[in-house]
Amino acid sequence: MLEGLKVVEYASYIAAPGAGGIMADWGADVIKVEPPGGDPIRMFFASVGIEGQTLNPVFELDNRGKRGVVLDTAQDAGRDALLRMIDDADVFLTNVRPGGLKRAGLDHNSLLARNPKLIYASLTGYGLEGPDADRPGMDSAAFWARSGVAALFRPKGGEPVQLRTAFGDHVASMAIVAGVMSALYERTRTGKGRLVEASLLRVAHYAAGSDMAIQHTYGRTASNRARRDVSLPLVNFFKTKDERWISLLSRQGEGDWPKLCRALKLEHLIADERFARAKGRRTNSGELVDLLDEAFGSRSWAEVSIALDAEEMIWAPVLSAAEAAVDPQAIAAGAVVQTRQADGTTINAPGAPIRFPGADDGPKGPAPKVGEHTRSVLAQFGYSDTEIDALFASGAAA
């Protein structure tokens, strides 16, 4: 879908490179520009104290199919090489902090003056305006903690829990791609590029939008509670006799209560005044959860699944990551793709978030090694062999 789209990615870690990775899957020519030594996320395992890993799937996921270039943009020659690439680009994608970009002449005003058709995609922790615009912010800080999302997930009276690796980053990656695609569509009408701004903070406010909308309207929102103390006891987790957890959901209205009672052979509770209406179930949540725990706990997962499906209840098994990675339905939905490696082998990895049936929408190859394509890309942009050798000799390229 994006064949012919030229993207220059001047970014590190995950959120912005994740957006570049999605566009690379969809056919864009993404040139990843790294500093000397490479993107720090290449050292993910070493940073968490794990050594000896030959493959870094965290880096591979977000950088597959890109061409890799190393430039030292602190040197004029390295910066000039980057600008030459940007002058020919459709999209410039960066998560460098605004102050650093401004000092280097790589801010959006400067680059749009050079290339008026450029889509300048900025990802920051906290946005481009305000007192914290230049504050460094990763997803566990800006997306998870500062946004209020961590507090929403914390059990009432409990301690905060940490966000899983790059969860907020990848939500932001999807948002960046959506913004870039919108700006590209606008450009078909106006002929002009524009600044596209995403921040981890704003993305998190939208991701938690239902709770935040309630907060804005009523000045408070419900806390996350233990299973026996929830306001919607039918939206809960239950364990079967064979130690399998399921996630049960109830639709709005009262229609699912008699269905659940029939599925669990608790018909005598359908008209019970304690539970027949949502208000009663909320008031008597602990008592009801105890009864449902007993009913679920007396049946195997297979029995529960058949009974709930017969009543067309909404539910799902709580899978481990190992189980989810081989889930036949996830595979059928395109959630698992194969990425070709340099040695001809393939590895499984998560697919991009959208599928285009009939199109080549999967990984186009492995992530680049550090500086793997520096020479060929510089040659593409008009540098002679002598000039390239000089850039390498000075350290402006590697």
Side-chain angles (χ1 to χ4, degrees), residues 94-362:
T94 187
N95 64 355
V96 177
R97 282 188 276 166
L101 292 166
K102 179 72 173 178
R103 289 189 294 272
L106 297 171
D107 58 288
H108 67 276
N109 287 325
S110 298
L111 295 190
L112 284 168
R114 292 178 63 99
N115 181 356
K117 294 184 178 181
L118 184 69
I119 307 302
Y120 187 111
S122 165
L123 182 279
T124 60
Y126 300 102
L128 295 178
E129 300 177 11
D132 290 332
D134 218 37
R135 177 185 290 273
M138 290 185 162
D139 67 342
S140 62
F143 179 95
W144 188 237
R146 179 74 177 264
S147 67
V149 177
L152 287 170
F153 276 84
R154 178 177 59 196
K156 186 177 183 180
E159 298 179 346
V161 296
Q162 187 55 273
L163 180 65
R164 297 297 302 185
T165 303
F167 187 94
D169 284 327
H170 286 129
V171 177
S173 298
M174 293 186 281
I176 297 165
V177 173
V180 168
M181 295 302 109
S182 296
L184 287 168
Y185 178 74
E186 180 190 45
R187 193 178 70 175
T188 66
R189 296 184 291 104
T190 67
K192 296 179 180 179
R194 69 154 50 248
L195 170 65
V196 174
E197 179 198 348
S199 69
L200 292 168
L201 181 64
R202 179 168 177 162
V203 166
H205 274 251
Y206 181 77
S210 296
D211 275 306
M212 293 305 294
I214 293 171
Q215 178 66 45
H216 283 299
T217 303
Y218 295 108
R220 61 193 176 103
T221 190
S223 58
N224 220 8
R225 297 170 180 264
R227 291 177 56 252
R228 295 186 74 260
D229 194 30
V230 294
S231 58
L232 295 171
L234 304 190
V235 181
N236 218 327
F237 296 93
F238 297 97
K239 187 165 63 173
T240 63
K241 182 170 65 176
D242 43 358
E243 302 290 311
R244 298 282 304 270
W245 284 94
I246 73 158
S247 171
L248 180 71
L249 286 92
S250 176
R251 288 159 282 213
Q252 279 70 42
E254 300 292 348
D256 279 342
W257 169 241
K259 291 181 178 182
L260 179 62
C261 289
R262 289 194 296 267
L264 297 178
K265 301 188 184 306
L266 298 174
E267 289 90 348
H268 63 286
L269 294 180
I270 292 177
D272 190 308
E273 63 181 14
R274 294 171 298 171
F275 313 125
R277 307 293 294 177
K279 184 176 181 180
R281 293 194 292 273
R282 178 172 182 164
T283 302
N284 300 289
S285 176
E287 187 178 359
L288 176 55
V289 170
D290 287 343
L291 291 170
L292 294 177
D293 277 347
E294 182 180 357
F296 278 103
S298 68
R299 295 166 172 79
S300 69
W301 181 86
E303 292 171 320
V304 166
S305 65
I306 292 171
L308 293 177
D309 283 348
E311 292 290 342
E312 297 187 331
M313 294 291 293
I314 301 175
W315 71 280
V318 178
L319 299 185
S320 67
E323 292 169 325
V326 295
D327 178 11
Q329 186 56 47
I331 294 170
V336 181
V337 295
Q338 290 74 48
T339 304
R340 177 179 51 79
Q341 298 298 287
D343 62 2
T345 61
T346 60
I347 60 170
N348 285 355
I354 301 295
R355 190 183 227 178
F356 299 88
D360 178 10
D361 59 3

